Amino acid sequence: MAQWLSNFYQPADPVSEERICITGGASQNLACLLQDFTDPLYTRNVWIVAPAYMLAFRIFEDAGFHKKLRAVPEDDQGIDMDYLRRQIKISEDEAKTANNNEPQFKPTRPWNKIYKHVIYAVPAFSNPSSKTMSLKRREELVLLAREYDALIITDDVYDFLQWPSSLSPSVLSIEEASLPRIVDIDRYLDGGAERHGADGFGNSVSNGSFSKIFAPGLRTGWCEGTPKMAYAVSQT
């Protein structure tokens, strides 16, 4: 698995086994991630790049976020960052006014953490808009997540379904990703999860599924993040 992901995404360093956790598919693991890393009161909002994959909404609602779902519009590069920044700032101001300073329902465990925000996106071939988020927007999103203690959950389930836009032999290869994933950017940008002052969990996790690649009934997938992130998911 680690070698396969390394070959396709071509990160600066190979993907290690410690960064991966096998899951019951992307939808099941989305629920696990919310169970591990959110608190329905302390976590201010779930920010969803819209239009969005409709079946994810029920999972967020079941995790206690029925009244905390917020849409973030796309722009020509995949996400309107100015809008998201303004709205997160408003959300943070409201949390401070309400003295929402610590998790209320989730116990403290040595192998997990609770984030203040969740950002949900499908960066490549987004369903249903089919847009792909630009490298600039991916980097901006990672920096914003670090600033506001947000976890970016990306459904990277369509990455392997890329198809060349031209029949020219020079661009026929579909064996490598055209852009780094957000989880790869978070791994390296400005020192990654091991930079000074960081806690090692990182601010992104990549959700993958074999159901989009092999067969819809194959409810098996994987997630990738920092070793701390992957271990926490394995304990769910």
Side-chain angles (χ1 to χ4, degrees):
M1 171 70 75
Q3 184 63 58
W4 177 58
L5 293 173
S6 297
N7 290 342
F8 183 75
Y9 288 110
Q10 296 289 307
D13 297 297
V15 176
S16 65
E17 296 178 0
E18 291 78 15
R19 291 180 56 84
I20 299 170
C21 180
I22 301 301
T23 71
S27 295
Q28 182 252 26
N29 190 56
L30 176 57
C32 291
L33 291 168
L34 297 173
Q35 181 177 332
D36 272 334
F37 300 111
T38 68
D39 178 289
L41 182 60
Y42 176 75
T43 303
R44 286 83 160 109
N45 290 105
V46 174
W47 306 93
I48 303 175
V49 181
Y53 176 56
M54 61 180 181
L55 295 182
F57 301 156
R58 175 68 180 272
I59 299 172
F60 290 121
E61 291 172 351
D62 287 347
F65 293 104
H66 172 63
K67 295 183 178 181
K68 291 191 169 188
L69 303 182
R70 300 291 184 269
V72 181
E74 293 179 327
D75 63 8
D76 59 352
Q77 296 191 61
I79 181 173
D80 188 334
M81 289 299 301
D82 291 336
Y83 178 88
L84 178 57
R85 176 175 288 279
R86 290 195 305 270
Q87 295 303 310
I88 285 186
K89 177 62 167 58
I90 292 171
S91 179
E92 276 300 301
D93 291 343
E94 291 174 347
K96 291 178 181 178
T97 300
N99 292 317
N100 185 9
N101 300 317
E102 59 184 20
Q104 299 297 315
F105 298 108
K106 297 294 181 71
T108 300
R109 297 186 176 102
W111 42 263
N112 78 333
K113 69 169 288 185
I114 303 299
Y115 289 84
K116 293 180 179 178
H117 299 270
V118 169
I119 302 170
Y120 174 76
V122 184
F125 316 122
S126 181
N127 182 2
S129 74
S130 78
K131 286 187 177 181
T132 293
M133 194 180 296
S134 69
L135 177 59
K136 178 183 178 182
R137 288 289 187 268
R138 296 178 189 215
E139 292 176 342
E140 290 173 340
L141 191 57
V142 167
L143 292 175
L144 183 70
R146 292 176 180 178
E147 181 179 351
Y148 285 101
D149 189 28
L151 174 62
I152 308 168
I153 301 175
T154 57
D155 267 351
D156 294 325
V157 295
Y158 303 112
D159 291 26
F160 293 90
L161 302 181
Q162 63 182 2
W163 198 254
S165 59
S166 168
L167 294 180
S168 168
S170 63
V171 294
L172 278 178
S173 175
I174 57 173
E175 302 301 321
E176 296 179 7
S178 58
L179 288 169
R181 294 169 298 173
I182 288 176
V183 74
D184 295 319
I185 293 171
D186 191 31
R187 185 180 179 186
Y188 298 111
L189 186 64
D190 297 337
E194 303 303 325
R195 68 192 183 281
H196 179 71
D199 56 23
F201 280 95
N203 290 87
S204 66
V205 58
S206 173
N207 219 2
S209 175
F210 289 109
S211 66
K212 303 296 190 297
I213 305 170
F214 294 114
L218 186 59
R219 310 310 296 178
T220 304
W222 70 93
C223 73
E224 182 188 337
T226 64
K228 278 189 173 183
M229 177 76 67
Y231 180 77
V233 176
S234 76
Q235 301 304 298
T236 305

